[in-house]
Amino acid sequence: MRYTLTLAIIILVSWSGNSFAQTAAADSLMSLGDDKFSDSNYTEAAELRKEAMRLYLQERDSLKWAMAKEDYASTLVALGAVQEGLRVLLELDEVQIQGLTNEDKAAIKKAIGYAYRNLEKYDAAKNYYLEGLELLKGSRDSLDIASLHNNISYTFSETGNYEQALQYQHQARRILVVDDGAVALSLIF
C-alpha cells in the first residue's frame, strides 16, 4: 500500500509540468526501482525503471536516461527476458550520448556481457567484458575493474579453460586486496 501511494505521488508530481519536479520524480522512481531490485521484485523494478526512463527522456536528460535504460535492461535479464534485455542494451551501446563517462560505458559493456553469458554465448560475453576493461584503463574504480576480471573468469571457466579462469580470478582478488577491498571482495564473489 505504501509503495502504491508513493508511486502515485511521484507520478502526480511529475505531471505537474515542473522540470525540477519531474527530474526529482524520476530520481525517486529509480531509487524505488533499486530497492525493488534488491528485494528481487524484478517486475516492479522494471516498471519503475521504465517510467523513470520516460520521465528522463521527457526532460531531455540523456545521461540519466541512458543509465536508467541500462538498469531497465539489466532488470529484464534478471526477469529471464534475456533476449529483450540484450536487445535494449545493444541499442543503448550504439547510441552516442554526450556526458557518458568511460565508467558508464563500461557498465553497459558489462551488462551486455552478462546477458550474453546468460545465453551461453561465452565468446561474445568475454569480448564485451574485455571492451569494458579497456574502457576502465586508467580508472581508479577498482571494484568495477575487479568485477570485470571476475566475470571474464566465468567465461573461461564455462568453456573449460580453467587455467585462464584462475588467472582472471587471481587478478580480481589482487586488485581488491591491494586496495584493501575486504568488504568489496564479499560483494563481488
Side-chain angles (χ1 to χ4, degrees):
M1 178 66 180
R2 192 177 97 194
Y3 160 75
T4 306
L5 182 59
T6 305
L7 182 59
I9 290 169
I10 290 170
I11 291 172
L12 191 60
V13 167
S14 71
W15 286 340
S16 70
N18 181 332
S19 178
F20 175 75
Q22 280 189 298
T23 300
D27 291 346
S28 294
L29 288 171
M30 286 302 295
S31 181
L32 281 171
D34 292 345
D35 291 344
K36 294 298 178 183
F37 190 91
S38 294
D39 292 340
S40 300
N41 189 339
Y42 303 125
T43 302
E44 285 186 37
E47 291 170 8
L48 292 164
R49 289 170 170 178
K50 190 172 187 176
E51 180 63 16
M53 279 172 35
R54 186 187 69 74
L55 293 174
Y56 287 135
L57 189 60
Q58 214 172 46
E59 286 304 305
R60 292 180 173 78
D61 189 336
S62 59
L63 184 58
K64 285 187 175 184
W65 170 82
M67 299 322 297
K69 189 167 185 157
E70 187 264 323
D71 284 349
Y72 171 69
S74 295
T75 305
L76 291 175
V77 171
L79 274 167
V82 181
Q83 290 284 4
E84 177 65 12
L86 179 60
R87 184 190 62 74
V88 171
L89 287 164
L90 290 171
E91 285 175 3
L92 181 59
D93 192 42
E94 292 298 315
V95 177
Q96 298 297 318
I97 298 171
Q98 192 172 13
L100 275 183
T101 65
N102 280 350
E103 287 81 4
D104 296 333
K105 293 173 188 174
I108 294 167
K109 300 288 186 186
K110 181 180 171 185
I112 293 170
Y114 184 71
Y116 274 125
R117 200 171 98 205
N118 275 270
L119 294 172
E120 298 180 2
K121 295 182 178 182
Y122 301 114
D123 285 336
K126 179 179 60 178
N127 290 337
Y128 275 96
Y129 289 148
L130 288 169
E131 285 180 35
L133 207 52
E134 185 67 27
L135 286 165
L136 291 176
K137 277 191 174 174
S139 171
R140 300 182 57 77
D141 192 342
S142 58
L143 182 57
D144 280 345
I145 294 168
S147 177
L148 280 164
H149 276 89
N150 183 56
N151 289 353
I152 292 167
S153 76
Y154 288 128
T155 64
F156 283 113
S157 178
E158 292 294 334
T159 56
N161 190 340
Y162 303 114
E163 190 173 312
Q164 196 74 25
L166 278 173
Q167 287 177 2
Y168 276 95
Q169 279 285 317
H170 289 302
Q171 183 63 23
R173 188 172 190 285
R174 273 193 300 274
I175 291 167
L176 292 172
V177 169
V178 166
D179 291 340
D180 193 24
V183 173
L185 193 61
S186 68
L187 295 173
I188 190 170
F189 294 101

